[in-house]
Amino acid sequence: MQEKIEALLKEINETVVESAEALEAYQRRFTNKKGLINDLFAEFRTVPGDVKRVVGRPLNELKKRAYDRLQEFQQQAKRATQSADRPHDLTLPGDPHVAGARHPLSIVQNKIISVFERIGFTVAEGPEVEDDWHNFGALNFPDNHPARDMQDTFFVEREPDHLLRTHTSSVQVRVMENNDPPIRVLSPGRVYRNEAISARAHCFFHQVEGLVIDKDVSFADMKQALQYFAIQMFGKKAKIKLRPSYFPFTEISAEMDVWWGLETQDDYRMTKGSGWVEIMGCGMVDPNVLANCGIDPDVYSGYAFGMGVERIAQLLYRVPDLRLYSQNDLRFLKQFAKMGG
Ligand code: DAH
């Protein structure tokens, strides 16, 4: 009996079923009422006890194996008929197609642009890999001047003169080199700095730069444009304050704060107890910069400003950590889905 069991096991293992007929034949031969497995069980009942003890287990295993194989063949057959008769099951529910949403930085960048577009600015873009002249030299950063240390630069190893732009002020230079005044442009884009990544610093971020060059442009013109911007961005009650500052490419230079308020603990934290938050650098374009770019400083003057998009987004949406902008966490991004932009 043991031999019979072994022979059947071998046969079952070697059987290949590739058609409905073969499946039927398998069932007839092995698993049907009148099949060989049942025959063996009938025989089992007639053998003496000591034989039973030896063959009981292999016999049960054989039966299990035969039925496992049967199930395998049946599933295989089902798959085959499904894919042959109904290549597409039109009754299945569709895959959900979730509409994406704009990234908060795009929303804010577009907002900034649309505010300035309303007062006549157009958009100009420039390369992210810049040469030293456009990022520093033309902007009045002398060689080895410590002002270059204000911005930790990534240099391109194989091209010593090239670097990842540290600010979008580089686009100012390109615009002035290639256009005659009047100039009224906005330059949005990504910039890079060699900083350790933390909640407050990142090795890349985004800026929007503004530049206005014409005859008789004054500091008061700049102030008015920036106040208009603050009101459009932060609401009717927005107040601005210009503090003296230093940038190599502007003379005079300032930093602009907007009034944030000092009502809650959060306000205290955000404003370091002052009620004001800094949102941009600005100033009158240094005459050296105009001359470097082929514009006569005796005829023309102008102002420039530059702001961080992440910073503005942080203020508008209370984003507590810069890293959230680039982690692609849908739980964060989905919150901006209804904010348009
Ligand atoms: N380029 C400066 C920076 O990245 C920002 C800036 C300050 C731009 C003053 C300007 C400006 O145009 O006038 O920190």
Side-chain angles (χ1 to χ4, degrees):
M1 191 166 179
Q2 197 156 5
E3 276 158 30
K4 272 195 210 161
I5 292 173
E6 275 166 23
L8 267 192
L9 187 63
K10 186 160 183 277
E11 193 186 334
I12 286 170
N13 280 335
E14 285 170 4
T15 303
V16 180
V17 165
E18 273 172 342
S19 64
E21 292 78 44
L23 178 60
E24 244 187 80
Y26 176 89
Q27 284 173 287
R28 233 181 294 120
R29 182 159 171 77
F30 301 110
T31 58
N32 274 1
K33 241 192 201 153
K34 291 185 183 158
L36 293 171
I37 304 284
N38 266 352
D39 287 353
L40 273 181
F41 272 89
E43 189 179 335
F44 179 74
R45 267 172 243 123
T46 66
V47 295
D50 54 339
V51 181
K52 272 195 176 117
R53 242 170 282 128
V54 180
V55 299
R57 199 169 206 233
L59 181 59
N60 272 319
E61 280 169 5
L62 174 71
K63 183 177 175 185
K64 182 169 184 309
R65 177 71 186 145
Y67 280 90
D68 283 352
R69 286 290 270 172
L70 175 64
Q71 209 178 7
E72 229 174 84
F73 296 142
Q74 281 169 333
Q75 275 168 2
Q76 199 180 307
K78 198 167 143 199
R79 276 198 300 273
T81 51
Q82 263 176 356
S83 59
D85 301 349
R86 289 182 296 154
H88 304 293
D89 182 350
L90 300 180
T91 65
L92 282 176
D95 288 335
H97 204 84
V98 184
R102 276 199 206 288
H103 192 278
L105 293 178
S106 300
I107 296 174
V108 171
Q109 181 175 299
N110 291 345
K111 247 186 185 168
I112 297 169
I113 291 172
S114 80
V115 168
F116 282 105
E117 271 177 349
R118 273 176 254 151
I119 52 171
F121 283 75
T122 54
V123 170
E125 290 186 330
E128 292 182 16
V129 177
E130 260 301 2
D131 52 47
D132 187 272
W133 171 252
H134 289 95
N135 196 81
F136 289 127
L139 288 165
N140 211 25
F141 288 79
D143 287 347
N144 304 320
H145 190 283
R148 290 186 184 220
D149 293 343
M150 285 165 74
Q151 306 182 344
D152 298 312
T153 310
F154 284 117
F155 291 93
V156 177
E157 214 166 69
R158 274 190 279 167
E159 303 260 355
D161 187 44
H162 285 72
L163 46 85
L164 295 180
R165 68 180 178 194
T166 58
H167 52 185
T168 45
S169 302
S170 55
V171 187
Q172 273 192 32
V173 179
R174 291 183 174 274
V175 170
M176 287 192 277
E177 281 173 342
N178 298 315
N179 298 276
D180 293 325
I183 290 170
R184 216 170 164 78
V185 293
L186 223 50
S187 318
R190 182 174 286 184
V191 302
Y192 301 82
R193 291 190 197 173
N194 190 1
E195 303 233 19
I197 296 172
S198 71
R200 294 156 160 273
H202 211 293
C203 60
F204 65 79
F205 54 98
H206 301 77
Q207 290 186 331
V208 176
E209 177 90 8
L211 175 72
V212 172
I213 308 287
D214 205 344
K215 287 178 182 157
D216 301 322
V217 177
S218 71
F219 193 81
D221 295 326
M222 178 184 90
K223 198 171 159 186
Q224 190 166 34
L226 296 183
Q227 179 161 28
Y228 159 79
F229 167 73
I231 287 170
Q232 294 296 313
M233 212 61 193
F234 298 103
K236 274 201 188 92
K237 288 191 193 139
K239 281 190 289 184
I240 63 166
K241 179 168 81 173
L242 290 164
R243 278 181 292 107
S245 184
Y246 170 76
F247 300 102
F249 37 90
T250 43
E251 180 62 36
I252 55 178
S253 307
E255 275 167 309
M256 186 171 105
D257 298 344
V258 289
W259 176 248
W260 184 257
L262 256 190
E263 277 156 32
T264 65
Q265 264 197 340
D266 212 30
D267 294 342
Y268 258 87
R269 200 178 42 77
M270 296 269 295
T271 67
K272 296 190 189 109
S274 73
W276 295 92
V277 284
E278 186 213 315
I279 63 162
M280 66 171 90
C282 57
M284 301 307 290
V285 179
D286 193 300
N288 291 340
V289 175
L290 294 175
N292 285 340
C293 303
I295 290 177
D296 185 349
D298 291 331
V299 180
Y300 294 103
S301 59
Y303 64 83
F305 55 88
M307 69 188 101
V309 180
E310 279 81 352
R311 172 83 175 139
I312 308 273
Q314 177 202 20
L315 295 174
L316 287 178
Y317 303 133
R318 306 283 178 132
V319 179
D321 187 325
L322 269 179
R323 290 168 291 198
L324 286 165
Y325 294 121
S326 49
Q327 277 165 341
N328 285 337
D329 185 334
L330 284 179
R331 290 168 303 177
F332 171 69
L333 297 174
K334 272 182 179 166
Q335 298 177 63
F336 301 91
K338 295 203 177 67
M339 295 189 182

Short mmCIF file of all heavy atoms in Angstrom, two decimals, residues 182-229:
data_model
loop_
_atom_site.label_atom_id
_atom_site.label_comp_id
_atom_site.label_asym_id
_atom_site.label_seq_id
_atom_site.Cartn_x
_atom_site.Cartn_y
_atom_site.Cartn_z
N PRO A 182 12.96 102.25 -19.41
CA PRO A 182 12.49 101.85 -18.08
C PRO A 182 12.40 100.33 -17.90
O PRO A 182 11.99 99.61 -18.83
CB PRO A 182 11.10 102.48 -17.99
CG PRO A 182 10.65 102.63 -19.40
CD PRO A 182 11.89 102.86 -20.23
N ILE A 183 12.78 99.88 -16.70
CA ILE A 183 12.74 98.45 -16.36
C ILE A 183 11.85 98.30 -15.12
O ILE A 183 11.94 99.09 -14.18
CB ILE A 183 14.16 97.93 -16.04
CG1 ILE A 183 15.02 97.90 -17.32
CG2 ILE A 183 14.11 96.55 -15.40
CD1 ILE A 183 16.50 97.65 -17.05
N ARG A 184 11.02 97.29 -15.17
CA ARG A 184 10.11 97.03 -14.03
C ARG A 184 9.87 95.52 -14.00
O ARG A 184 8.92 95.02 -14.59
CB ARG A 184 8.80 97.77 -14.31
CG ARG A 184 8.12 98.36 -13.11
CD ARG A 184 6.97 99.27 -13.54
NE ARG A 184 6.09 99.53 -12.43
CZ ARG A 184 6.36 100.42 -11.46
NH1 ARG A 184 7.48 101.11 -11.48
NH2 ARG A 184 5.50 100.58 -10.47
N VAL A 185 10.78 94.79 -13.39
CA VAL A 185 10.67 93.33 -13.44
C VAL A 185 10.69 92.69 -12.06
O VAL A 185 11.19 93.25 -11.08
CB VAL A 185 11.82 92.68 -14.26
CG1 VAL A 185 11.73 93.03 -15.72
CG2 VAL A 185 13.17 93.01 -13.68
N LEU A 186 10.18 91.47 -12.07
CA LEU A 186 10.14 90.61 -10.90
C LEU A 186 10.86 89.33 -11.29
O LEU A 186 10.62 88.80 -12.38
CB LEU A 186 8.67 90.29 -10.64
CG LEU A 186 8.11 90.31 -9.24
CD1 LEU A 186 8.46 91.57 -8.51
CD2 LEU A 186 6.60 90.15 -9.31
N SER A 187 11.75 88.84 -10.43
CA SER A 187 12.46 87.60 -10.76
C SER A 187 12.26 86.57 -9.67
O SER A 187 12.91 86.64 -8.63
CB SER A 187 13.96 87.86 -10.91
OG SER A 187 14.17 89.04 -11.62
N PRO A 188 11.36 85.64 -9.90
CA PRO A 188 11.16 84.57 -8.92
C PRO A 188 12.08 83.40 -9.22
O PRO A 188 12.48 83.21 -10.38
CB PRO A 188 9.71 84.16 -9.18
CG PRO A 188 9.48 84.46 -10.63
CD PRO A 188 10.42 85.55 -11.03
N GLY A 189 12.47 82.66 -8.21
CA GLY A 189 13.26 81.47 -8.51
C GLY A 189 13.89 80.85 -7.30
O GLY A 189 13.86 81.38 -6.19
N ARG A 190 14.51 79.69 -7.56
CA ARG A 190 15.14 78.93 -6.48
C ARG A 190 16.58 79.40 -6.30
O ARG A 190 17.25 79.69 -7.28
CB ARG A 190 15.11 77.44 -6.83
CG ARG A 190 15.70 76.57 -5.75
CD ARG A 190 15.51 75.11 -6.07
NE ARG A 190 14.11 74.71 -5.86
CZ ARG A 190 13.67 73.47 -5.98
NH1 ARG A 190 14.50 72.50 -6.34
NH2 ARG A 190 12.40 73.18 -5.78
N VAL A 191 17.00 79.45 -5.06
CA VAL A 191 18.38 79.83 -4.75
C VAL A 191 18.98 78.82 -3.77
O VAL A 191 18.24 78.05 -3.16
CB VAL A 191 18.45 81.26 -4.15
CG1 VAL A 191 17.83 82.27 -5.11
CG2 VAL A 191 17.76 81.31 -2.80
N TYR A 192 20.30 78.82 -3.69
CA TYR A 192 20.99 77.77 -2.92
C TYR A 192 22.01 78.36 -1.96
O TYR A 192 22.73 79.29 -2.32
CB TYR A 192 21.74 76.84 -3.88
CG TYR A 192 20.84 76.17 -4.88
CD1 TYR A 192 20.45 76.84 -6.05
CD2 TYR A 192 20.36 74.88 -4.66
CE1 TYR A 192 19.61 76.24 -6.97
CE2 TYR A 192 19.52 74.27 -5.58
CZ TYR A 192 19.15 74.95 -6.73
OH TYR A 192 18.31 74.36 -7.63
N ARG A 193 22.06 77.80 -0.77
CA ARG A 193 23.12 78.21 0.17
C ARG A 193 23.59 77.01 0.97
O ARG A 193 22.79 76.14 1.33
CB ARG A 193 22.63 79.31 1.11
CG ARG A 193 22.40 80.58 0.33
CD ARG A 193 22.15 81.78 1.18
NE ARG A 193 21.56 82.82 0.33
CZ ARG A 193 21.09 83.96 0.77
NH1 ARG A 193 21.15 84.24 2.05
NH2 ARG A 193 20.57 84.83 -0.07
N ASN A 194 24.88 77.04 1.23
CA ASN A 194 25.48 75.90 1.92
C ASN A 194 25.21 75.98 3.43
O ASN A 194 26.06 76.37 4.21
CB ASN A 194 26.99 75.91 1.63
CG ASN A 194 27.65 74.63 2.11
OD1 ASN A 194 26.99 73.74 2.64
ND2 ASN A 194 28.95 74.54 1.93
N GLU A 195 24.01 75.60 3.79
CA GLU A 195 23.61 75.67 5.20
C GLU A 195 23.17 74.30 5.66
O GLU A 195 22.61 73.53 4.89
CB GLU A 195 22.39 76.60 5.34
CG GLU A 195 22.62 77.98 4.80
CD GLU A 195 22.28 79.04 5.83
OE1 GLU A 195 22.22 78.71 7.02
OE2 GLU A 195 22.09 80.19 5.40
N ALA A 196 23.39 74.03 6.94
CA ALA A 196 22.88 72.78 7.51
C ALA A 196 21.36 72.88 7.55
O ALA A 196 20.81 73.93 7.89
CB ALA A 196 23.44 72.59 8.91
N ILE A 197 20.70 71.78 7.17
CA ILE A 197 19.24 71.82 7.11
C ILE A 197 18.65 71.71 8.52
O ILE A 197 19.01 70.83 9.30
CB ILE A 197 18.73 70.67 6.22
CG1 ILE A 197 19.23 70.89 4.79
CG2 ILE A 197 17.21 70.58 6.26
CD1 ILE A 197 18.96 69.72 3.87
N SER A 198 17.73 72.62 8.82
CA SER A 198 17.05 72.58 10.12
C SER A 198 15.65 73.17 9.92
O SER A 198 15.26 73.46 8.80
CB SER A 198 17.82 73.41 11.14
OG SER A 198 17.69 74.79 10.83
N ALA A 199 14.94 73.38 11.03
CA ALA A 199 13.60 73.96 10.91
C ALA A 199 13.67 75.38 10.35
O ALA A 199 12.73 75.87 9.74
CB ALA A 199 12.92 73.97 12.28
N ARG A 200 14.80 76.04 10.55
CA ARG A 200 14.90 77.45 10.17
C ARG A 200 15.82 77.73 9.00
O ARG A 200 15.94 78.88 8.56
CB ARG A 200 15.43 78.24 11.38
CG ARG A 200 14.47 78.24 12.51
CD ARG A 200 15.21 78.48 13.81
NE ARG A 200 14.25 78.95 14.80
CZ ARG A 200 13.93 80.22 14.95
NH1 ARG A 200 14.52 81.15 14.25
NH2 ARG A 200 13.03 80.57 15.83
N ALA A 201 16.54 76.73 8.52
CA ALA A 201 17.46 76.97 7.39
C ALA A 201 17.42 75.77 6.46
O ALA A 201 17.17 74.64 6.88
CB ALA A 201 18.88 77.16 7.91
N HIS A 202 17.63 76.03 5.18
CA HIS A 202 17.65 74.94 4.21
C HIS A 202 18.71 75.25 3.17
O HIS A 202 19.08 76.41 2.99
CB HIS A 202 16.27 74.78 3.55
CG HIS A 202 15.98 73.36 3.16
ND1 HIS A 202 16.68 72.71 2.17
CD2 HIS A 202 15.09 72.46 3.64
CE1 HIS A 202 16.21 71.48 2.05
NE2 HIS A 202 15.26 71.29 2.93
N CYS A 203 19.18 74.22 2.47
CA CYS A 203 20.23 74.48 1.49
C CYS A 203 19.65 75.02 0.19
O CYS A 203 20.38 75.48 -0.68
CB CYS A 203 21.06 73.23 1.25
SG CYS A 203 20.11 71.86 0.65
N PHE A 204 18.32 74.96 0.03
CA PHE A 204 17.73 75.70 -1.08
C PHE A 204 16.41 76.33 -0.62
O PHE A 204 15.76 75.82 0.30
CB PHE A 204 17.51 74.83 -2.33
CG PHE A 204 16.52 73.73 -2.14
CD1 PHE A 204 15.15 74.00 -2.19
CD2 PHE A 204 16.92 72.43 -1.94
CE1 PHE A 204 14.22 72.99 -2.03
CE2 PHE A 204 16.00 71.41 -1.78
CZ PHE A 204 14.65 71.69 -1.82
N PHE A 205 16.09 77.43 -1.20
CA PHE A 205 14.82 78.08 -0.91
C PHE A 205 14.47 78.98 -2.09
O PHE A 205 15.12 78.88 -3.14
CB PHE A 205 14.86 78.84 0.43
CG PHE A 205 15.99 79.82 0.56
CD1 PHE A 205 15.78 81.18 0.31
CD2 PHE A 205 17.25 79.42 0.93
CE1 PHE A 205 16.81 82.10 0.45
CE2 PHE A 205 18.29 80.33 1.06
CZ PHE A 205 18.08 81.67 0.81
N HIS A 206 13.44 79.78 -1.96
CA HIS A 206 12.95 80.55 -3.12
C HIS A 206 12.87 82.03 -2.79
O HIS A 206 12.54 82.38 -1.65
CB HIS A 206 11.57 80.02 -3.56
CG HIS A 206 11.62 78.58 -3.94
ND1 HIS A 206 11.66 77.58 -3.00
CD2 HIS A 206 11.69 77.98 -5.15
CE1 HIS A 206 11.74 76.41 -3.63
NE2 HIS A 206 11.76 76.62 -4.93
N GLN A 207 13.18 82.82 -3.78
CA GLN A 207 13.10 84.27 -3.59
C GLN A 207 12.31 84.90 -4.72
O GLN A 207 12.23 84.34 -5.82
CB GLN A 207 14.51 84.89 -3.61
CG GLN A 207 15.35 84.56 -2.40
CD GLN A 207 16.67 85.31 -2.42
OE1 GLN A 207 17.21 85.63 -3.47
NE2 GLN A 207 17.20 85.59 -1.24
N VAL A 208 11.77 86.06 -4.44
CA VAL A 208 11.26 86.91 -5.52
C VAL A 208 12.01 88.23 -5.41
O VAL A 208 12.04 88.85 -4.34
CB VAL A 208 9.74 87.15 -5.40
CG1 VAL A 208 9.29 88.11 -6.49
CG2 VAL A 208 8.98 85.83 -5.51
N GLU A 209 12.62 88.60 -6.49
CA GLU A 209 13.41 89.83 -6.55
C GLU A 209 12.63 90.84 -7.38
O GLU A 209 11.95 90.47 -8.34
CB GLU A 209 14.72 89.50 -7.26
CG GLU A 209 15.65 90.66 -7.49
CD GLU A 209 16.60 90.88 -6.34
OE1 GLU A 209 16.64 90.03 -5.43
OE2 GLU A 209 17.31 91.90 -6.36
N GLY A 210 12.71 92.10 -7.01
CA GLY A 210 12.07 93.15 -7.81
C GLY A 210 13.09 94.19 -8.22
O GLY A 210 14.05 94.44 -7.49
N LEU A 211 12.90 94.76 -9.39
CA LEU A 211 13.83 95.80 -9.86
C LEU A 211 13.08 96.83 -10.67
O LEU A 211 12.31 96.49 -11.57
CB LEU A 211 14.91 95.15 -10.74
CG LEU A 211 15.90 96.13 -11.40
CD1 LEU A 211 16.86 96.71 -10.37
CD2 LEU A 211 16.69 95.43 -12.51
N VAL A 212 13.30 98.11 -10.32
CA VAL A 212 12.69 99.21 -11.07
C VAL A 212 13.79 100.19 -11.43
O VAL A 212 14.51 100.66 -10.53
CB VAL A 212 11.61 99.92 -10.23
CG1 VAL A 212 11.11 101.17 -10.95
CG2 VAL A 212 10.44 98.98 -9.95
N ILE A 213 13.97 100.47 -12.69
CA ILE A 213 14.97 101.46 -13.12
C ILE A 213 14.30 102.43 -14.08
O ILE A 213 13.64 102.01 -15.03
CB ILE A 213 16.15 100.80 -13.87
CG1 ILE A 213 16.76 99.63 -13.09
CG2 ILE A 213 17.21 101.85 -14.23
CD1 ILE A 213 17.58 100.01 -11.90
N ASP A 214 14.46 103.72 -13.80
CA ASP A 214 13.89 104.74 -14.69
C ASP A 214 14.55 106.07 -14.34
O ASP A 214 15.40 106.12 -13.45
CB ASP A 214 12.36 104.80 -14.48
CG ASP A 214 11.64 105.34 -15.72
OD1 ASP A 214 12.31 105.94 -16.60
OD2 ASP A 214 10.42 105.18 -15.78
N LYS A 215 14.12 107.13 -15.00
CA LYS A 215 14.61 108.45 -14.60
C LYS A 215 13.87 108.87 -13.34
O LYS A 215 12.66 108.62 -13.22
CB LYS A 215 14.37 109.45 -15.73
CG LYS A 215 15.32 109.23 -16.89
CD LYS A 215 15.04 110.18 -18.03
CE LYS A 215 16.00 109.87 -19.17
NZ LYS A 215 15.50 110.33 -20.47
N ASP A 216 14.57 109.49 -12.42
CA ASP A 216 13.95 110.08 -11.22
C ASP A 216 13.20 109.07 -10.33
O ASP A 216 12.15 109.40 -9.78
CB ASP A 216 12.96 111.19 -11.61
CG ASP A 216 13.64 112.29 -12.39
OD1 ASP A 216 14.81 112.61 -12.05
OD2 ASP A 216 13.04 112.81 -13.36
N VAL A 217 13.69 107.88 -10.23
CA VAL A 217 13.05 106.94 -9.28
C VAL A 217 13.62 107.24 -7.90
O VAL A 217 14.82 107.37 -7.72
CB VAL A 217 13.34 105.48 -9.65
CG1 VAL A 217 12.73 104.54 -8.62
CG2 VAL A 217 12.80 105.16 -11.04
N SER A 218 12.72 107.36 -6.91
CA SER A 218 13.19 107.75 -5.58
C SER A 218 12.87 106.67 -4.54
O SER A 218 12.11 105.73 -4.79
CB SER A 218 12.52 109.05 -5.17
OG SER A 218 11.16 108.79 -4.89
N PHE A 219 13.44 106.87 -3.36
CA PHE A 219 13.18 105.98 -2.23
C PHE A 219 11.68 105.99 -1.89
O PHE A 219 11.11 104.97 -1.51
CB PHE A 219 14.02 106.45 -1.04
CG PHE A 219 14.09 105.46 0.08
CD1 PHE A 219 14.97 104.39 0.03
CD2 PHE A 219 13.28 105.61 1.20
CE1 PHE A 219 15.04 103.48 1.08
CE2 PHE A 219 13.34 104.70 2.25
CZ PHE A 219 14.23 103.64 2.20
N ALA A 220 11.05 107.15 -2.07
CA ALA A 220 9.62 107.26 -1.76
C ALA A 220 8.79 106.38 -2.70
O ALA A 220 7.79 105.77 -2.30
CB ALA A 220 9.16 108.71 -1.87
N ASP A 221 9.24 106.28 -3.97
CA ASP A 221 8.54 105.40 -4.93
C ASP A 221 8.60 103.95 -4.43
O ASP A 221 7.62 103.21 -4.48
CB ASP A 221 9.18 105.47 -6.32
CG ASP A 221 9.04 106.86 -6.94
OD1 ASP A 221 8.01 107.50 -6.70
OD2 ASP A 221 9.97 107.28 -7.65
N MET A 222 9.79 103.59 -3.97
CA MET A 222 9.96 102.22 -3.47
C MET A 222 9.04 101.97 -2.28
O MET A 222 8.35 100.96 -2.20
CB MET A 222 11.42 101.98 -3.07
CG MET A 222 11.65 100.61 -2.50
SD MET A 222 13.33 100.39 -1.92
CE MET A 222 13.18 100.92 -0.24
N LYS A 223 9.06 102.92 -1.38
CA LYS A 223 8.28 102.76 -0.15
C LYS A 223 6.80 102.58 -0.48
O LYS A 223 6.11 101.74 0.11
CB LYS A 223 8.49 104.00 0.72
CG LYS A 223 8.12 103.79 2.15
CD LYS A 223 8.56 104.99 2.97
CE LYS A 223 7.76 105.04 4.26
NZ LYS A 223 8.04 106.25 5.02
N GLN A 224 6.33 103.34 -1.44
CA GLN A 224 4.92 103.25 -1.79
C GLN A 224 4.58 101.89 -2.41
O GLN A 224 3.57 101.29 -2.08
CB GLN A 224 4.55 104.37 -2.74
CG GLN A 224 3.04 104.45 -2.92
CD GLN A 224 2.63 105.75 -3.58
OE1 GLN A 224 3.35 106.27 -4.42
NE2 GLN A 224 1.48 106.26 -3.21
N ALA A 225 5.46 101.43 -3.30
CA ALA A 225 5.21 100.13 -3.94
C ALA A 225 5.21 99.02 -2.89
O ALA A 225 4.36 98.11 -2.92
CB ALA A 225 6.27 99.86 -5.00
N LEU A 226 6.12 99.12 -1.93
CA LEU A 226 6.23 98.06 -0.93
C LEU A 226 5.09 98.10 0.08
O LEU A 226 4.63 97.07 0.56
CB LEU A 226 7.59 98.12 -0.23
CG LEU A 226 8.79 97.85 -1.17
CD1 LEU A 226 10.09 97.87 -0.38
CD2 LEU A 226 8.64 96.53 -1.93
N GLN A 227 4.61 99.31 0.35
CA GLN A 227 3.46 99.40 1.25
C GLN A 227 2.22 98.82 0.59
O GLN A 227 1.45 98.08 1.21
CB GLN A 227 3.21 100.85 1.62
CG GLN A 227 2.00 100.98 2.54
CD GLN A 227 1.98 102.29 3.28
OE1 GLN A 227 2.51 103.30 2.80
NE2 GLN A 227 1.38 102.30 4.44
N TYR A 228 2.07 99.12 -0.69
CA TYR A 228 0.97 98.55 -1.46
C TYR A 228 1.05 97.01 -1.40
O TYR A 228 0.05 96.32 -1.16
CB TYR A 228 1.04 99.05 -2.90
CG TYR A 228 0.30 98.19 -3.90
CD1 TYR A 228 -1.08 98.28 -4.03
CD2 TYR A 228 0.99 97.27 -4.70
CE1 TYR A 228 -1.76 97.47 -4.94
CE2 TYR A 228 0.32 96.47 -5.60
CZ TYR A 228 -1.05 96.57 -5.72
OH TYR A 228 -1.71 95.77 -6.59
N PHE A 229 2.26 96.50 -1.60
CA PHE A 229 2.45 95.05 -1.55
C PHE A 229 2.02 94.49 -0.20
O PHE A 229 1.29 93.49 -0.12
CB PHE A 229 3.91 94.70 -1.85
CG PHE A 229 4.26 93.28 -1.52
CD1 PHE A 229 3.81 92.23 -2.32
CD2 PHE A 229 5.01 92.97 -0.39
CE1 PHE A 229 4.11 90.91 -2.01
CE2 PHE A 229 5.31 91.65 -0.07
CZ PHE A 229 4.86 90.63 -0.88
#
